[in-house]
Amino acid sequence: MTSSSLFSFSSRYPIITCRVSPPSSPPFVASVPLPPSSSSDSLACSLQCPHFQSCSGCTQEFNLHRPAVVEEASGFFKRYGVEDFTFDSCRLWGWRCRAKLAVRGTSDNALIGLYQEGTHTVVDIPECKSHHPNINAAIELLREGIKVFDVVPFDEDQGTGDLRYVQMAVTTHSTNLRAPERYKNGKVQVSLVWNSRNERSHNADKLQALSSYLWRKGGPNSKFHLIHSVWANFQTSTNNIIFGNRWRHLLGERDFWEHVGGIDISLDPSSFGQANTRAFDSLLWKLHKYVPGGSSVADLYAGAGVIGLSLATSRKCSSVKCIEVNKEARLSFEKTIQRLPNSLNCSISWHHADASVNPLSWIIGSDVVVVDPPRRGLDASLRQMLESVPSIEKRMRSSSQSSNSNTKEEKRPWILRAKELSIQAGNKLTPEENNSLPQRLIYISCGWESFKEDCKSLLSSRAWELEKAHGFNFFPGTDSIEVLAVFKRRVAIKKKKKSGIKKVGIKKVRAT
């Protein structure tokens, strides 16, 4: 049974229909305009998941293609002058390529899944419809290994057991396959969070046996090549933090690659990665069109620099500066830049720094600022600085003459530390510092409530005006929305001064 309603999409993906029964290879679905939703659409685009009532992962069973928040977002942006808000969807089922799951229960009956809402009771989700199918397959293989080697799931109350959590991450980057086949043939990186300080602890033999079993049954020499690699993370903390600080690569490929936004990106198990890689790719291509070619870009909350590096490659930026507070992202950035085109004529840098500390120092000299903050939204210091850009610019213009003649040596410790920990890349020398301030702000948001507050604050400052807004369905099955909002500097209207010139009569003098 198919819906009679078709949803248009960009040329990158085909136009298709929703289906009542989620197929093994989920279709691409998209809704670019916002057509009225019907009951048939609601049924056709339903979750159909046996775990919905007990699992906390999904909150919306129907209308996966159009969560309720879309209507609110459309109205919000219309009030601020954006009449052509769009909402894009890719896959509705099997979209999740990254999952962190708790492991509880017993070795004979391991529960691998998410906590029930408001509790620490784990719900087993072997048939999750959001997971990439190969994540579900890898979970079943892990369950077998737990039983075979008597691996004891973690007991939170006692602090005992062997296996606390598992992270599954799917890479669909396989150049050996045709593009349409890469997604369904994705390989799974398995990260086992082991309840010990290191690989020399008393239960290390079980870790070795379990990882070898996964590789033997799912590695390249198995009947079905499922496993990309196996990693171990060691964690003994009593808090709710999933990962410890110690990682060890056990088996398989060390480097994990994905292709999004026109570039190959490297992600370590400890790196942040988008769960919905197809939707993220769609957002990046949309983002590209709002960055003028040759721009100087500051990428704040940059992570491993995926957004900035994608812009450097596609928009031929003159410079890209990535600012990230998590030092673990540095290694992924270093590996990613090694695969950028040799012909790239761009100055690229990555800085380990907190963009909320003196944020002006990071955006000065940029034409475009891209922010991709966590769910809580912009840091207050950064938002306040962005709201003050016109007055800052005015002060800088008035003092430019004296500053040009007296160049001061940089002494601010946070800037000096960031320079020491920075990475420089690209074929172009670092551009000379200038005092220009950005004319465009691009805000990528995963937290709708915090974005609304930030947006209203930016607009009320009269420093910025909203130019475009797009929504993306990063988490089908939830009432959430990823937003790409484009702001441009507000042009101050100068009042015309009344002319103070008086007409003076001319007295003619007759010559004598």
Side-chain angles (χ1 to χ4, degrees):
M1 175 178 172
T2 61
S3 166
S4 61
S5 175
L6 292 174
F7 305 102
S8 60
F9 197 34
S10 67
S11 58
R12 295 185 56 77
Y13 301 110
I15 297 175
I16 60 97
T17 60
C18 292
R19 302 180 185 276
V20 170
S21 300
S24 57
S25 180
F28 290 109
V29 184
S31 170
V32 176
L34 296 174
S37 184
S38 66
S39 58
S40 61
D41 294 336
S42 175
L43 177 62
C45 296
S46 61
L47 187 60
Q48 302 275 314
C49 182
H51 312 302
F52 178 75
Q53 296 298 331
S54 55
C55 174
S56 61
C58 292
T59 58
Q60 184 167 311
E61 192 170 13
F62 301 103
N63 288 317
L64 300 190
H65 66 295
R66 182 165 140 163
V69 70
V70 174
E71 300 300 332
E72 181 193 342
S74 179
F76 176 85
F77 289 118
K78 190 171 290 186
R79 287 197 299 275
Y80 290 103
V82 176
E83 299 285 343
D84 56 351
F85 171 74
T86 64
F87 182 73
D88 295 350
S89 277
C90 293
R91 293 174 176 267
L92 298 183
W93 308 278
W95 54 266
R96 180 176 281 280
C97 290
R98 187 171 290 262
K100 297 183 182 77
L101 305 169
V103 183
R104 301 294 185 267
T106 66
S107 56
D108 286 332
N109 184 28
L111 305 176
I112 305 174
L114 300 176
Y115 292 124
Q116 195 170 2
E117 188 68 34
T119 74
H120 269 222
T121 301
V122 172
V123 177
D124 201 28
I125 51 173
E127 299 177 57
C128 175
K129 299 302 181 186
S130 296
H131 285 167
H132 187 292
N134 288 354
I135 287 182
N136 288 343
I139 289 171
E140 287 311 298
L141 183 59
L142 175 63
R143 197 190 311 275
E144 291 174 13
I146 289 171
K147 188 173 184 178
V148 169
F149 297 103
D150 193 26
V151 174
V152 181
F154 185 61
D155 185 316
E156 286 188 56
D157 295 331
Q158 303 296 324
T160 57
D162 302 315
L163 184 57
R164 300 168 66 116
Y165 300 93
V166 61
Q167 176 178 264
M168 302 282 188
V170 177
T171 171
T172 62
H173 183 262
S174 177
T175 54
N176 297 326
L177 298 172
R178 295 187 305 113
E181 298 175 358
R182 291 175 188 173
Y183 194 88
K184 68 179 181 181
N185 287 287
K187 304 297 183 288
V188 185
Q189 178 193 70
V190 180
S191 298
L192 305 169
V193 183
W194 207 248
N195 188 34
S196 67
R197 294 184 181 279
N198 53 50
E199 61 270 32
R200 295 182 297 277
S201 298
H202 70 281
N203 55 358
D205 56 335
K206 287 186 180 181
L207 172 61
Q208 193 61 48
L210 179 59
S211 58
S212 297
Y213 181 84
L214 295 173
W215 190 245
R216 185 170 68 254
K217 294 288 187 177
N221 296 325
S222 63
K223 187 178 296 184
F224 174 58
H225 185 187
L226 175 68
I227 305 299
H228 169 275
S229 56
V230 183
W231 288 71
N233 175 265
F234 300 96
Q235 173 66 296
T236 57
S237 173
T238 57
N239 57 33
N240 291 328
I241 298 174
I242 294 178
F243 296 128
N245 295 323
R246 185 175 178 82
W247 289 86
R248 184 185 172 193
H249 173 242
L250 300 177
L251 293 163
E253 296 182 49
R254 187 177 187 88
D255 293 333
F256 179 97
W257 292 93
E258 193 52 84
H259 188 84
V260 292
I263 61 170
D264 292 345
I265 62 170
S266 172
L267 293 171
D268 274 3
S270 60
S271 301
F272 170 78
Q274 291 287 351
N276 194 333
T277 52
R278 288 299 177 90
F280 183 48
D281 184 58
S282 176
L283 182 149
L284 287 175
W285 287 108
K286 187 86 75 175
L287 165 65
H288 291 173
K289 63 191 256 186
Y290 295 113
V291 177
S295 295
S296 176
V297 176
D299 179 10
L300 309 185
Y301 307 97
V306 177
I307 294 172
L309 294 177
S310 175
L311 289 172
T313 304
S314 67
R315 303 304 297 150
K316 297 180 173 58
C317 297
S318 61
S319 70
V320 170
K321 183 164 48 180
C322 301
I323 315 301
E324 171 56 36
V325 71
N326 179 15
K327 64 180 180 181
E328 302 298 330
R330 173 176 177 153
L331 181 60
S332 292
F333 179 87
E334 289 178 321
K335 290 179 180 178
T336 298
I337 59 177
Q338 292 174 8
R339 288 202 180 182
L340 295 180
N342 293 327
S343 59
L344 193 62
N345 187 28
C346 177
S347 169
I348 300 171
S349 60
W350 183 93
H351 305 267
H352 174 221
D354 187 345
S356 68
V357 178
N358 193 18
L360 178 62
S361 61
W362 299 117
I363 73 163
I364 194 167
S366 301
D367 305 310
V368 179
V369 172
V370 180
V371 294
D372 184 11
R375 194 170 299 276
R376 67 175 182 270
L378 296 175
D379 288 290
S381 58
L382 174 58
R383 188 187 66 246
Q384 290 162 9
M385 185 276 298
L386 290 169
E387 292 168 358
S388 304
V389 161
S391 58
I392 294 171
E393 196 169 53
K394 189 175 180 179
R395 289 199 304 270
M396 290 173 68
R397 266 200 303 266
S398 64
S399 62
S400 61
Q401 188 172 0
S402 59
S403 63
N404 285 339
S405 58
N406 298 302
T407 304
K408 294 181 180 179
E409 181 184 357
E410 181 60 75
K411 293 183 179 179
R412 290 169 294 181
W414 55 89
I415 299 294
L416 294 175
R417 282 196 298 270
K419 286 185 176 180
E420 289 173 4
L421 297 172
S422 67
I423 304 168
Q424 303 290 332
N427 294 332
K428 194 172 183 179
L429 295 175
T430 304
E432 293 183 6
E433 292 290 335
N434 65 70
N435 290 337
S436 65
L437 290 175
Q439 298 299 310
R440 180 162 290 187
L441 168 66
I442 301 177
Y443 192 140
I444 300 168
S445 168
C446 62
W448 172 239
E449 294 301 324
S450 60
F451 170 79
K452 286 190 295 183
E453 294 306 311
D454 285 340
C455 181
K456 287 186 284 189
S457 184
L458 289 167
L459 296 177
S460 65
S461 72
R462 304 185 69 81
W464 303 92
E465 58 183 289
L466 193 57
E467 186 176 16
K468 288 286 183 181
H470 304 281
F472 297 85
N473 200 4
F474 270 37
F475 301 98
T478 69
D479 192 27
S480 64
I481 186 173
E482 191 89 5
V483 168
L484 170 65
V486 182
F487 298 83
K488 65 179 180 180
R489 285 278 296 279
R490 191 181 182 93
V491 178
I493 301 174
K494 295 181 179 180
K495 293 182 179 179
K496 292 183 179 180
K497 293 182 179 179
K498 291 182 179 180
S499 175
I501 301 173
K502 295 181 180 179
K503 292 183 179 180
V504 179
I506 300 174
K507 187 177 181 179
K508 294 183 180 179
V509 179
R510 184 179 294 178
T512 54

